[in-house]
Amino acid sequence: MTALDLSSPVAVVGTGTMGQGIAQVALVAGHPVRLYDAVPGRAREAAAAIGDRLDRLVSKNRLAASDRDIARARLVAAESLADLADCGLVVEAVLERLDVKQELLRHLEDVVGEDCLLATNTSSLSVTAIGGALRNPGRFVGLHFFNPAPLLPLVEVVSGYATDVTSATRAYETARSWGKTPVACADTPGFIVNRIARPFYAEAFAVYEAQGADPATIDAVLRESGGFRMGAFELTDLIGQDVNESVTLSVWQSFFQDVRFTPSLAQRRLVESGRLGRKTGHGWFDYRDDGAGAESTEPHTAEKQQAPAYVLAEGDLGPAAELLALIREAGIQVRADEEDHGTRLVLPGGGQLALADGQTSVEFRDVVYFDLALDYRKATRIALSASQDTSQQTLSEAIGLFQALGKDVSVIGDVPGMIVARTVARIVDLAHDAVAKGVATEEDIDTAMRLGVNYPLGPFEWSRRLGRMWAFSLLDDLHERDPSGRYAPSLALYRHSFATEKREGGAS
């Protein structure tokens, strides 16, 4: 099944931001485009707005003036649904309400031809449920674009329970012909991106609710150590707290209140207070001119400490092995304990420094944990975690060590799994679970998470880099300390980890 022919008109019903963006994508790709909105005059306004954006593309030399003029001639504001009768594809981008979408699609089915592909841009509703109102749900598919649609390359092509393979394939190839990067996805709550991305927000909020660190510090660690483009607090302020919470609630409720997707009470209070983020001038952070009473936007950064003269390496530090080379390059002696197979550093005062593993510092004598980094050489900040029983000497030596490597250091509370480590482990777990349940392939999940939410690595790329047992071991330790089920490793991750262990080490 090939992509929709360029001569075939494409219609977009609903002319808000997403509707306009999708229409612009189809228009620039070469299709005649029809815009329809139930509110009189709204379609004409949307067509004018798209024309203005095409003008801006010309002014930036991203579109030839002649191509703009041709595109404008192909754009029509439809007066009624009947004007969409000859379209080969109709995409609805109306209000996120099941009844509204079903009623619209029933009317469309009476208007368009039998070979017309019908699609929804829903981000939170079930494609199967929307299509359930149709006489022929086999031609109905999800085409989930990301905002802004003209700029972001990802499109999730979602097959409902009744979607025909030929319809899904045509939608996939059409999106690709428009210059997008499509990924195939089964109809599951949140699809790929909004399902697997939940821990990025949830774990940041959980650390905050546990008073482990303030929003600015958590965001800084996610950016400067984890390699994420934005932190969870600043990103949800940008998205809108109400919008982000709505998606979380939808996924949680659709999974029958699965504890892994539990919403944040702190975010609920923020929404209830009307602090919705940038659009209201105040969210986690204050964007008003006076900034009165706002959370500080500056992360906690430890004061300068003296670097230790040496460290004793017990083992290779696992995913943090690169630190040993960095320590040597900083002029600090690394003494190796060849017989010890642990993964930690012993500091001159006798305290230990270990990579976050899902345990807490208070369980051990004089231990400081350090967080996971995407790239320890490039990271500009490292988080450390200590308990009230950790000696000041050990904490000072740990701070001084990382400062000697050119890193800013943020000391957080005794939070198991810290910030980056627990977030990445949960993302990896949900990704494995999704593949095992037929949601999408490993390749499509990695592509979706890199392009849809700008993650520095896809979950499976991260999993391969960190080792097959890493995520399982960390989550298993976290689950022991929080037996609610939130951190229980999925059966898919268990199988993935231990099947490999058995092949490599043999049965005992």
Side-chain angles (χ1 to χ4, degrees):
M1 179 63 67
T2 58
L4 194 67
D5 191 272
L6 288 179
S7 64
S8 184
V10 171
V12 178
V13 180
T15 58
T17 301
M18 285 303 302
Q20 290 182 33
I22 295 168
Q24 182 178 328
V25 170
L27 188 66
V28 172
H31 288 274
V33 172
R34 315 269 171 80
L35 282 172
Y36 176 75
D37 198 290
V39 179
R42 189 73 59 80
R44 287 191 297 275
E45 293 173 2
I50 293 172
D52 290 342
R53 284 198 288 274
L54 295 180
D55 288 341
R56 288 196 292 272
L57 290 176
V58 171
S59 67
K60 295 177 181 178
N61 295 319
R62 295 178 183 173
L63 183 70
S66 57
D67 290 336
R68 173 201 58 196
D69 296 339
I70 294 171
R72 273 182 163 169
R74 293 196 304 266
L75 181 61
V76 174
E79 296 297 328
S80 69
L81 288 180
D83 294 336
L84 314 183
D86 63 338
C87 288
L89 167 65
V90 180
V91 183
E92 69 81 10
V94 299
L95 187 66
E96 283 285 274
R97 274 181 43 187
L98 180 62
D99 58 337
V100 172
K101 291 179 183 293
Q102 287 180 329
E103 182 179 6
L104 168 64
L105 287 162
R106 280 193 291 264
H107 289 312
L108 282 170
E109 201 169 30
D110 291 335
V111 169
V112 300
E114 290 296 323
D115 60 346
C116 177
L117 187 65
L118 296 176
T120 176
N121 184 57
T122 186
S123 60
S124 60
L125 299 177
S126 164
V127 172
T128 300
I130 298 171
L134 297 174
R135 294 190 302 273
N136 178 17
R139 62 166 165 178
F140 182 67
V141 66
L143 278 177
H144 182 216
F145 288 77
F146 288 75
N147 190 33
L151 297 180
L152 295 185
L154 185 69
V155 178
E156 292 177 319
V157 181
V158 185
S159 293
Y161 186 79
T163 302
D164 292 336
V165 173
T166 53
S167 298
T169 303
R170 169 164 283 185
Y172 184 99
E173 294 300 333
T174 297
R176 185 158 65 175
S177 74
W178 291 356
K180 296 300 181 182
T181 302
V183 292
C185 175
D187 185 20
T188 184
F191 310 142
I192 297 175
V193 172
N194 280 329
R195 171 177 177 156
I196 296 174
R198 292 349 291 163
F200 178 74
Y201 312 107
E203 294 312 307
F205 298 161
V207 172
Y208 169 74
E209 289 174 336
Q211 300 186 60
D214 60 274
T217 299
I218 295 169
D219 276 1
V221 173
L222 286 168
R223 289 192 311 268
E224 299 173 40
S225 183
F228 293 96
R229 184 166 297 185
M230 297 181 74
F233 295 90
E234 60 183 332
L235 180 55
T236 53
D237 268 355
L238 178 64
I239 294 169
Q241 298 302 330
D242 53 338
V243 174
N244 181 260
E245 186 198 40
S246 176
V247 174
T248 299
L249 283 168
S250 175
V251 172
W252 176 61
Q253 290 166 350
S254 297
F255 275 115
F256 307 105
Q257 300 184 359
D258 186 329
V259 68
R260 295 176 301 166
F261 303 101
T262 301
S264 162
L265 181 59
Q267 187 179 41
R268 176 89 291 263
R269 294 291 178 259
L270 207 63
V271 172
E272 288 175 337
S273 71
R275 296 182 174 184
L276 306 182
R278 288 183 176 274
K279 62 186 176 184
T280 61
H282 200 169
W284 294 110
F285 304 110
D286 196 330
Y287 303 95
R288 298 170 299 182
D289 291 339
D290 58 9
E295 285 275 6
S296 171
T297 57
E298 293 299 318
H300 166 75
T301 302
E303 294 183 359
K304 185 69 175 176
Q305 301 292 329
Q306 184 174 351
Y310 71 90
V311 294
L312 174 64
E314 296 183 345
D316 63 2
L317 298 189
E322 188 179 21
L323 279 176
L324 295 178
L326 297 179
I327 294 170
R328 291 188 180 97
E329 290 169 17
I332 299 172
Q333 183 184 10
V334 177
R335 301 175 183 175
D337 186 340
E338 302 293 345
E339 296 183 1
D340 196 296
H341 299 290
T343 54
R344 59 197 169 194
L345 297 174
V346 179
L347 298 164
Q352 298 180 11
L353 186 60
L355 176 62
D357 58 7
Q359 301 182 87
T360 56
S361 180
V362 75
E363 300 171 53
F364 305 98
R365 186 187 68 81
D366 217 12
V367 169
V368 171
Y369 280 106
F370 64 93
D371 208 351
L372 180 70
L374 173 69
D375 184 326
Y376 282 99
R377 185 172 293 276
K378 295 179 180 179
T380 58
R381 182 177 299 272
I382 295 293
L384 300 181
S385 174
S387 75
Q388 66 270 23
D389 296 330
T390 305
S391 73
Q392 186 58 51
Q393 180 182 354
T394 296
L395 182 56
S396 295
E397 288 176 343
I399 293 170
L401 175 65
F402 281 103
Q403 288 174 337
L405 307 186
K407 318 298 183 188
D408 288 328
V409 175
S410 292
V411 179
I412 70 170
D414 191 13
V415 178
M418 300 191 69
I419 298 171
V420 179
R422 70 195 290 176
T423 299
V424 171
R426 288 208 59 218
I427 289 170
V428 167
D429 182 52
L430 288 185
H432 279 281
D433 185 54
V435 169
K437 292 176 177 173
V439 173
T441 65
E442 290 186 9
E443 181 181 2
D444 276 357
I445 287 175
D446 275 355
T447 298
M449 301 313 290
R450 285 196 314 270
L451 299 183
V453 278
N454 289 310
Y455 283 5
L457 292 175
F460 293 98
E461 292 174 314
W462 235 319
S463 183
R464 288 188 290 272
R465 175 184 289 197
L466 296 169
R468 287 179 175 263
M469 283 297 296
W470 180 83
F472 176 86
S473 296
L474 188 143
L475 290 174
D476 197 40
D477 281 338
L478 267 170
H479 177 55
E480 185 177 339
R481 285 147 188 83
D482 177 0
S484 64
R486 178 187 181 108
Y487 300 104
S490 67
L491 180 59
L493 186 62
Y494 179 90
R495 285 172 170 160
H496 168 80
S497 302
F498 282 92
T500 302
E501 279 287 292
K502 185 175 181 180
R503 286 198 299 272
E504 292 177 352
S508 59

